[in-house]
Amino acid sequence: MATIGADRSLAQVSIFSHNLPLVRRLEAVGFRAWPAASVQYDGSWQVRLTAGHPSNRLNSIVPLDPSDHRDVEIRLEKARRKFEAYGRAAVVRQTPLASPVLIELLRAQNWTRFDDTVVMTCDLAEAELPDTLDHLPTHDVGRFVDANLAVDRAPPALKPALAEIISAIKPPSGLFMIENAADGPLATVLCVQDNDLAGIMSLSVSEARRREGLGIEILTSALRWARMRSARSAWLQVKLSNRPAIALYERLGFRDAYHYCYWQQEPR
């Protein structure tokens, strides 16, 4: 992870961790925007598992109350065994909602921290969206999934799982694509509107066509669509190491809300 990302995280986590109601709401809409196949609770911990897709958002232990650290070692081992039954390494998602006691236990057990990420929000009423070519969303999930996998250069074998995830999203969703006959899919983004909040998911631009304005063009289309449907705020998640993407989002008015990361322990 780039040093600038680590410095940014350490400097700001103490500030943003105090706005726990916002964190709880964004975590909740994030779960609805990217639904796991199996969700189980242990106290305030959410154990999310999805056999067909490797996404950490779909396969992680998510603590949702900083004060919930009763029997933490026993519960962590119980959750780890659930992951083991799925043939996966256990993963813990650390947000400001995670108990410091749990995080100290992860360190003591030599878990590895990775994927430092920032959640950013934008006031859509105040956002000055650039005057770019507008794109309408498609309702064809299969076509969108094919385009997204092609742009990301992801294995085609992920198509059934990704299609199932997107089809399981309950809030209204906009599936946006930019493509042409010569080059095929060039950019994709999924926008999930959950009441007054619009989540930006899976924003991808073909590696060969980056720095041509396609990212801001498709993102602006999604934000316009959400604003027309009465969304008042937008949110998204981006790795701290992805400085070009963060710069793009900041240009549109996105600002840091809180940070999270993951911890992983290899299977025993």
Side-chain angles (χ1 to χ4, degrees):
M1 196 64 61
T3 303
I4 187 170
D7 291 343
R8 178 185 178 122
S9 179
L10 291 172
Q12 297 183 348
V13 69
S14 61
I15 297 174
F16 294 119
S17 63
H18 294 302
N19 195 351
L20 296 185
L22 174 63
V23 177
R24 288 191 178 97
R25 188 173 185 214
L26 290 176
E27 287 291 288
V29 298
F31 296 154
R32 291 194 290 270
W34 206 241
S38 169
V39 178
Q40 300 177 36
Y41 281 90
D42 181 352
S44 65
W45 294 10
Q46 192 178 99
V47 180
R48 297 165 58 81
L49 283 161
T50 304
H53 200 282
S55 166
N56 289 313
R57 282 184 289 182
L58 300 174
N59 296 278
S60 52
I61 304 157
V62 187
L64 298 172
D65 183 350
S67 65
D68 183 6
H69 47 76
R70 173 186 51 83
D71 299 327
V72 62
E73 191 165 356
I74 295 172
R75 292 164 66 194
L76 182 61
E77 175 62 18
K78 179 181 176 183
R80 190 196 66 77
R81 289 178 179 173
K82 289 180 180 178
F83 276 76
E84 189 175 64
Y86 266 69
R88 295 188 181 278
V91 172
V92 174
R93 180 181 170 99
Q94 180 190 353
T95 73
L97 302 178
S99 166
V101 176
L102 171 61
I103 303 308
E104 287 305 313
L105 176 62
L106 299 179
R107 290 194 179 99
Q109 293 185 352
N110 296 316
W111 288 54
T112 301
R113 173 176 169 160
F114 66 103
D115 275 2
D116 284 73
T117 301
V118 58
V119 179
M120 307 179 76
T121 60
C122 173
D123 184 339
L124 288 177
E126 299 294 330
E128 295 185 7
L129 301 180
D131 186 17
T132 60
L133 182 65
D134 210 5
H135 298 271
L136 297 177
T138 178
H139 299 287
D140 189 334
V141 173
R143 182 182 170 199
F144 175 83
V145 169
D146 284 339
N148 183 256
L149 293 175
V151 170
D152 280 343
R153 296 184 177 180
L158 288 178
K159 180 176 179 177
L162 185 55
E164 184 175 354
I165 292 163
I166 293 175
S167 297
I169 298 171
K170 295 189 183 302
S173 302
L175 308 174
F176 293 84
M177 301 182 297
I178 297 177
E179 57 186 351
N180 63 39
D183 302 310
L186 302 177
T188 61
V189 71
L190 164 65
C191 184
V192 180
Q193 185 187 348
D194 197 327
N195 295 310
D196 63 328
L197 290 174
I200 298 298
M201 317 285 292
S202 300
L203 175 59
S204 300
V205 178
S206 172
E207 187 174 357
R209 300 294 299 272
R210 291 173 186 171
R211 303 184 185 278
E212 296 181 13
L214 294 175
I216 199 165
E217 182 177 312
I218 196 168
L219 176 58
T220 299
S221 292
L223 294 177
R224 284 200 194 102
W225 174 82
R227 190 160 65 180
M228 288 176 59
R229 296 177 57 86
S230 301
R232 292 185 295 187
S233 299
W235 63 270
L236 52 80
Q237 304 172 1
V238 57
K239 291 183 182 181
L240 284 170
S241 58
N242 192 347
R243 298 302 306 169
I246 291 174
L248 166 65
Y249 301 143
E250 288 177 340
R251 281 172 55 196
L252 293 177
F254 282 87
R255 298 293 180 261
D256 292 13
Y258 64 97
H259 292 230
Y260 72 84
C261 66
Y262 293 101
W263 295 78
Q264 185 176 62
Q265 184 182 51
E266 294 303 321
R268 297 176 183 176

